[in-house]
């Protein structure tokens, strides 16, 4: 399989991640749901939630386990935390990081694929995508 090389420079970053306007609402600058972490494995969740902020996502839903809330809340105070995934009309979903031991993640994956928008999956998310035959839900344009 041949891969196209993509170089990211300052112009691309400025176009893809423009600065927020002074009078904008945080939801004007992107809404992202991040389904991450399981048990007490907080590393992937911290990385993904902080990464969402670094690239300028205005509003982040963090779907995490009860055990992770006391660890993540002080480190990511801008995140709105939830115990279960709910569709909020978000512009994209990031799912799977640290979820290998998460109870019910298969059901969550099925829910995620009910709505058309970019979905970013890590290795475990890709594994479940194939195992659960989720491409049957993928009836929108793929890239």
């Amino acid at each position: 399989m041949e891969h196209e090389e993509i170089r990211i420079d300052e112009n691309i970053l400025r176009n893809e991640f423009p600065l927020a306007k002074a009078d904008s609402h945080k939801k004007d600058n992107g809404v992202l749901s991040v389904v991450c972490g399981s048990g007490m494995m907080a590393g992937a969740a911290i990385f993904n939630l902080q990464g969402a902020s670094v690239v300028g996502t205005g509003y982040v839903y963090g779907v995490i386990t009860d055990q992770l809330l006391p660890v993540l809340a002080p480190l990511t105070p801008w995140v709105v935390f939830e115990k279960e995934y709910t569709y909020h009309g978000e512009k994209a979903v990031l799912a799977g990081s640290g979820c290998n031991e998460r109870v019910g993640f298969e059901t969550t994956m099925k829910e995620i694929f009910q709505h058309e928008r970019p979905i970013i999956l890590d290795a475990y998310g890709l594994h479940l995508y194939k195992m659960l035959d989720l491409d049957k839900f993928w009836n929108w344009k793929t890239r």
Side-chain angles (χ1 to χ4, degrees):
M1 176 185 289
E2 188 174 319
H3 297 281
E4 179 182 344
E5 182 177 303
I6 299 173
R7 294 186 182 258
I8 298 176
D9 62 20
E10 184 176 345
N11 291 328
I12 290 173
L13 290 175
R14 289 189 190 279
N15 288 332
E16 293 298 320
F17 304 108
L19 294 175
K21 296 176 184 172
D23 62 346
S24 67
H25 182 276
K26 57 186 164 185
K27 284 190 175 180
D28 294 338
N29 301 309
V31 180
L32 174 70
S33 286
V34 180
V35 183
C36 55
S38 59
M40 284 304 292
M41 299 189 317
I46 292 168
F47 179 76
N48 287 296
L49 294 169
Q50 290 181 342
S53 175
V54 168
V55 298
T57 306
Y59 204 89
V60 179
Y61 290 99
V63 184
I64 62 169
T65 61
D66 286 337
Q67 300 96 324
L68 291 178
L69 187 60
V71 175
L72 296 176
L75 298 172
T76 54
W78 60 88
V79 174
V80 177
F81 288 106
E82 299 181 319
K83 295 178 186 178
E84 295 182 21
Y85 171 76
T86 304
Y87 179 65
H88 295 285
E90 63 270 1
K91 302 293 182 190
V93 176
L94 170 64
S97 293
C99 291
N100 349 9
E101 297 178 15
R102 189 182 189 123
V103 175
F105 187 60
E106 294 84 359
T107 302
T108 301
M109 286 284 289
K110 290 176 184 175
E111 280 293 316
I112 288 169
F113 277 87
Q114 296 299 312
H115 304 279
E116 181 177 344
R117 72 266 192 249
I119 300 170
I120 302 119
L121 301 173
D122 83 326
Y124 186 63
L126 288 169
H127 166 73
L128 285 182
Y129 174 83
K130 181 69 173 167
M131 185 182 86
L132 298 172
D133 195 26
L134 292 175
D135 57 343
K136 63 186 170 198
F137 295 111
W138 196 264
N139 56 8
W140 56 88
K141 182 180 177 184
T142 60
R143 309 190 244 166

